[in-house]
Amino acid sequence: MKNLKILSVLFLMVVFPYGCMVGPKYVKPEQPQADTFRFGDQSRDTTKSVTAIKWSSIFNDDVLIGLIEKGIQNNYDLKIALARLEQAKANLGIAKADLFPAFQYSGQVNSAETIMQPSSALANMSWELDFWGKYRHQNKALQNELLATDEARKVILSNIVSTIAISYFELRDFDNQLEITTHTLETRQKAYDIINERFISGYVAELDKVQIEQQVAIAEANIPLIKRQITALENSISILVGQVPQPIQRGKTNSELLILTTFPTSVPSALLENRPDVKRQEYLYKAAYERIGVAQALRYPSFNIAAVAGFTSVMVGDLFNDGSYMQNVGGGVTGPIFNFGKNKRRVDVNRQLAEEAKFNFQKTYLTAISEVENSLQNVAMFKEEWTARNRQVVAAQKNYDLSNARYYNGYVSYLEVLDAQRSLFEAQLSLSQLTQKQLSSMVQLYKALGGGWN
């Protein structure tokens, strides 16, 4: 009889994985397809992937590369993501344990021989067989959530790389704007000194003196504003790299910085493999889909095996005698009969949660395509705009030089000089900002295509 029980348990252990696993099988949803990106280069090799390009290879500034590496090591959002990843691994380990028997021990000693509970030293085994796949579905759901958590970590890593780079470009832009404004202030101050002397000597009207004095004040007022923006950016970058807010080391200027200007744009469907945010949403959809199977399994009976072995005796002194040994193996089944549709509604809820996850997946994919299209267009248009603005700066500088010479030779009023100077100042600031936007747009394209996390 003892051998029969053992053989029965072993048979069930072998047979239970082949039980009737209920629940739907995952089918990848259809996504809108396109052969090429609208603003992409149609002649590019669409079989290559941007993920093969490491982020450090697209910059030529050691200071910027050092900041990004420091951010990857110290950024607190990334540390939080890693902690969540370890938490997901632990949850998966807990769920896997449900597939196997649980063993416990217990012991009890009573001095009174007439007590209803005798002294005992027992070992117990309990096991709910996963006949309908409840635990297997749950494990698959948690496995997909683990993968989704890892993709979320990659999203944060990509954001760190791109945000530090773009913030650095903005910082160097403000540095350049400060230099332009300081130079403009010096030029206006020199002009003011000359005109003020000419006014005192009676050669020019007070209007000329007041006009240049106003322009000096405007330039002076811009300098504190730019310095505040520089400090705010330095503090933001400090937080990104996980350090106390402090001045940020500078490397090359934006005009000296070079960034890789061509990335393999592949085809839109490749974003499903390249973009960690898209992959994360698909894993979350898979997890939600598996939980439909969990809910369906709860509608069926559960099968349990329990076993106990050990010693029990009314007298403590006889606890470990041969006659005190006992063992038993038992099985049971429990299942719902009628609960007013609760289990059916649970399945319906999980189906709709899976539908919601599917729609989030599809929306994220479309958003990814839109971001790539925007980035491709930005790269092209900022290049054209920069070329035009550069011509504007050259022309504005020449206009200012000519107007200045005409004024000091008495041909025009100082109002013409002021207008030419304002145009030059605004053109120089616009060109500086466009240089930054050009660099930033390339980083955004690299990120949109799925690069930046490897």
Side-chain angles (χ1 to χ4, degrees):
M1 181 62 68
K2 183 188 296 185
N3 291 335
L4 180 60
K5 291 180 180 179
I6 295 173
L7 288 173
S8 298
V9 172
L10 292 175
F11 175 75
L12 286 171
M13 290 176 65
V14 172
V15 169
F16 95 91
Y18 302 98
C20 301
M21 188 172 178
V22 299
K25 293 186 179 297
Y26 174 75
V27 177
K28 192 169 187 174
E30 291 186 2
Q31 299 283 20
Q33 295 295 324
D35 295 331
T36 59
F37 288 105
R38 179 183 173 191
F39 297 108
D41 186 349
Q42 309 301 323
S43 64
R44 291 185 183 177
D45 183 356
T46 59
T47 62
K48 294 181 179 179
S49 171
V50 74
T51 55
I53 302 174
K54 197 174 188 320
W55 65 263
S56 58
S57 66
I58 68 175
F59 304 116
N60 71 327
D61 188 338
D62 291 338
V63 173
L64 174 56
I65 292 174
L67 285 172
I68 295 175
E69 288 175 342
K70 191 172 183 180
I72 292 172
Q73 292 294 323
N74 300 329
N75 184 269
Y76 283 99
D77 288 333
L78 189 55
K79 289 181 178 180
I80 291 170
L82 289 171
R84 288 173 179 166
L85 184 61
E86 293 302 317
Q87 179 184 344
K89 289 179 181 178
N91 285 332
L92 179 59
I94 292 172
K96 284 183 176 179
D98 291 332
L99 290 169
F100 303 98
F103 298 88
Q104 302 88 26
Y105 62 88
S106 63
Q108 182 172 303
V109 176
N110 294 301
S111 59
E113 296 180 0
T114 58
I115 194 165
M116 295 182 64
Q117 292 291 336
S119 300
S120 62
L122 302 172
N124 303 279
M125 185 276 287
S126 59
W127 192 7
E128 180 181 345
L129 303 182
D130 191 29
F131 191 79
W132 308 108
K134 177 176 66 175
Y135 293 126
R136 280 169 285 168
H137 279 302
Q138 181 69 9
N139 270 268
K140 288 182 179 179
L142 288 171
Q143 285 173 353
N144 282 296
E145 287 180 350
L146 171 61
L147 293 172
T149 304
D150 189 43
E151 295 301 326
R153 177 191 63 83
K154 294 175 183 178
V155 171
I156 293 174
L157 181 56
S158 178
N159 288 338
I160 289 170
V161 172
S162 60
T163 303
I164 291 177
I166 292 173
S167 297
Y168 182 79
F169 299 150
E170 291 174 349
L171 180 63
R172 299 303 281 134
D173 173 39
F174 283 126
D175 289 339
N176 192 45
Q177 289 188 41
L178 181 60
E179 184 178 338
I180 292 170
T181 306
T182 302
H183 176 72
T184 300
L185 175 60
E186 291 173 354
T187 302
R188 291 178 180 181
Q189 185 64 53
K190 289 177 182 178
Y192 171 78
D193 293 339
I194 294 172
I195 292 173
N196 188 48
E197 289 180 4
R198 298 183 71 183
F199 167 71
I200 294 172
S201 302
Y203 291 109
V204 297
E206 185 178 6
L207 179 62
D208 289 358
K209 172 180 173 293
V210 173
Q211 286 175 334
I212 187 59
E213 189 175 12
Q214 180 183 2
Q215 296 305 310
V216 170
I218 290 173
E220 286 179 337
N222 279 339
I223 289 176
L225 171 62
I226 296 173
K227 287 183 176 179
R228 289 199 305 272
Q229 292 170 319
I230 288 174
T231 300
L233 263 176
E234 286 181 326
N235 292 342
S236 295
I237 294 174
S238 294
I239 293 172
L240 287 170
V241 301
Q243 67 184 18
V244 174
Q246 57 188 269
I248 298 299
Q249 183 183 356
R250 308 301 205 266
K252 296 181 179 180
T253 64
N254 282 349
S255 58
E256 295 171 334
L257 275 165
L258 297 175
I259 188 169
L260 193 63
T261 55
T262 56
F263 297 119
T265 54
S266 188
V267 292
S269 59
L271 293 178
L272 296 173
E273 299 299 327
N274 294 348
R275 292 267 301 227
D277 57 338
V278 177
K279 293 171 71 175
R280 174 178 178 269
Q281 290 299 331
E282 183 178 10
Y283 284 130
L284 290 176
Y285 173 43
K286 288 181 178 180
Y289 212 77
E290 292 295 338
R291 288 202 163 87
I292 299 174
V294 176
Q296 287 184 340
L298 291 172
R299 302 184 66 184
Y300 297 93
S302 59
F303 301 95
N304 300 274
I305 295 176
V308 60
F311 300 89
T312 178
S313 174
V314 174
M315 300 181 64
V316 177
D318 297 333
L319 181 59
F320 295 104
N321 291 344
D322 291 341
S324 300
Y325 177 76
M326 58 85 63
Q327 65 178 18
N328 185 48
V329 176
V333 57
T334 59
I337 298 177
F338 187 70
N339 56 10
F340 300 94
K342 178 179 178 181
N343 289 334
K344 184 179 183 300
R345 296 292 178 266
R346 185 187 291 116
V347 175
D348 293 339
V349 167
N350 281 276
R351 285 189 186 279
Q352 294 308 312
L353 288 173
E355 281 292 292
E356 179 184 343
K358 181 182 74 173
F359 295 144
N360 280 330
F361 172 39
Q362 293 173 325
K363 178 184 176 182
T364 303
Y365 173 60
L366 289 178
T367 302
I369 295 176
S370 175
E371 288 178 358
V372 173
E373 296 284 16
N374 290 340
S375 296
L376 287 169
Q377 180 72 331
N378 286 341
V379 168
M381 293 302 100
F382 280 138
K383 183 178 181 180
E384 291 184 13
E385 188 177 354
W386 188 93
T387 302
R389 289 292 185 187
N390 189 54
R391 292 200 309 269
Q392 180 186 359
V393 169
V394 173
Q397 180 67 58
K398 187 173 183 179
N399 182 42
Y400 170 70
D401 293 338
L402 291 173
S403 298
N404 208 41
R406 282 161 57 85
Y407 170 74
Y408 284 109
N409 284 287
Y411 292 111
V412 295
S413 70
Y414 197 70
L415 186 61
E416 180 180 310
V417 178
L418 290 177
D419 185 59
Q421 192 179 64
R422 278 195 300 268
S423 297
L424 174 60
F425 182 51
E426 291 171 359
Q428 288 174 330
L429 293 180
S430 295
L431 185 64
S432 178
Q433 292 170 356
L434 275 172
T435 304
Q436 173 263 314
K437 289 179 179 179
Q438 266 195 309
L439 294 169
S440 298
S441 67
M442 291 305 303
V443 173
Q444 288 165 343
L445 174 60
Y446 176 61
K447 176 187 174 185
L449 289 169
W453 52 264
N454 54 335

